Amino acid sequence: MDTFKDRLAFLWKDEARQAKIAADIDMTIAGFSRIWNEGGLPKSETLKKIKQLKGCSIDWLLTGEGEPFPNTELPKATAYDTLGNPVDIDEFIFVPRYDIHAAAGHGQLVGDEKPMFTMAFRRYWIENYVTRDTKNLSVISVKGDSMEGVLNDGDTILINRSETTPRDGLYVLRINENLLVKRLQVIPGGIVNVISANEAYPAFEIDLNKMTEDVAIIGRVEWFGRII
């Protein structure tokens, strides 16, 4: 679309006839002919009229540079619930689901993983009760039996990776290159008890004042799902 005429024809598409365009933008046929046939440009009032009618960029209209409709929103994807009712996808946050196990027992090596897919959570719940820093949410699964009865083998967990300062609760830890999911209990002096639900696995302590690169608190467990 190198010429102004080309851009007008694009805007009016199948109705790109001189008489039709001239009528739409309140120009006489004679005046419009100088634009259409002789390469002239209209006055600023006419350019504004075209913008109002078609929603296009005046810069693009004059020069051909940039996008014709820079402020056009992309159409929303249509989703439906299991009853066939339409669902507003803006009401949901889609959290990446990784093929990684936080071991409740034996540990699972963590590499540079790409998400398998995403899982939908209600935006209201996430932003009001979990975090507004949604980019730090991940979903992984649990492996092993050391948290049996609280988190079972195969459970799915939502991790809030912005919560790395421990409080009493369930957390995912990295010990060397293994991920563990455990209950943390904070006690005075910067000591954290790391507790398993299964008594066959002894508790151990982490001294927050002497943290090394071998140990890290990955995030807090905010939710779990289970297939019964």
Side-chain angles (χ1 to χ4, degrees):
M1 291 179 284
D2 295 331
T3 67
F4 187 80
K5 175 182 176 179
D6 291 337
R7 294 188 283 279
L8 284 178
F10 169 79
L11 292 174
W12 265 263
K13 300 189 186 319
D14 295 336
E15 298 180 321
R17 301 185 303 275
Q18 290 189 53
K20 167 65 175 171
I21 301 174
D24 285 350
I25 61 177
D26 298 327
M27 289 190 70
T28 64
I29 290 294
F32 183 76
S33 179
R34 287 192 291 273
I35 296 172
W36 190 260
N37 296 316
E38 300 175 20
L41 291 175
K43 296 179 180 179
S44 59
E45 291 80 6
T46 304
L47 292 171
K48 291 178 182 178
K49 180 70 174 180
I50 296 171
K51 178 182 178 180
Q52 290 171 356
L53 285 172
K54 299 298 182 179
C56 63
S57 161
I58 288 182
D59 288 342
W60 169 83
L61 191 58
L62 283 171
T63 66
E65 296 178 357
E67 297 294 326
F69 309 107
N71 297 319
T72 301
E73 295 183 358
L74 294 175
K76 290 183 179 180
T78 302
Y80 299 90
D81 64 17
T82 56
L83 299 176
N85 300 312
V87 174
D88 184 355
I89 62 173
D90 286 341
E91 293 182 4
F92 295 86
I93 288 172
F94 296 88
V95 178
R97 168 67 160 95
Y98 294 91
D99 187 19
I100 294 174
H101 303 283
H106 300 90
Q108 172 72 30
L109 186 67
V110 179
D112 294 327
E113 298 285 340
K114 293 183 178 180
M116 300 185 296
F117 48 82
T118 59
M119 293 181 62
F121 292 85
R122 281 282 180 183
R123 180 179 297 276
Y124 180 86
W125 177 70
I126 290 289
E127 293 183 346
N128 287 276
Y129 296 99
V130 179
T131 181
R132 291 189 175 272
D133 190 11
T134 57
K135 68 179 181 299
N136 280 323
L137 296 175
S138 303
V139 177
I140 64 174
S141 59
V142 173
K143 186 176 181 63
D145 64 353
S146 77
M147 294 300 292
E148 191 74 28
V150 178
L151 292 174
N152 297 341
D153 185 68
D155 283 354
T156 300
I157 54 176
L158 172 67
I159 306 168
N160 181 3
R161 291 181 286 106
S162 61
E163 288 285 344
T164 57
T165 300
R167 298 176 284 141
D168 290 1
L170 297 175
Y171 284 80
V172 173
L173 314 174
R174 179 179 58 78
I175 308 293
N176 295 317
E177 293 184 321
N178 298 316
L179 285 185
L180 306 175
V181 58
K182 300 291 182 182
R183 182 176 297 281
L184 300 188
Q185 180 187 47
V186 180
I187 59 177
I191 304 299
V192 176
N193 279 335
V194 182
I195 304 167
S196 299
N198 187 338
E199 294 181 356
Y201 296 83
F204 60 93
E205 293 182 348
I206 294 175
D207 188 343
L208 298 178
N209 302 308
K210 299 179 181 179
M211 294 282 282
T212 66
E213 293 183 355
D214 296 334
V215 179
I217 298 172
I218 302 301
R220 182 180 177 89
V221 177
E222 303 284 1
W223 169 93
F224 79 92
R226 177 176 298 162
I227 298 175
I228 300 177

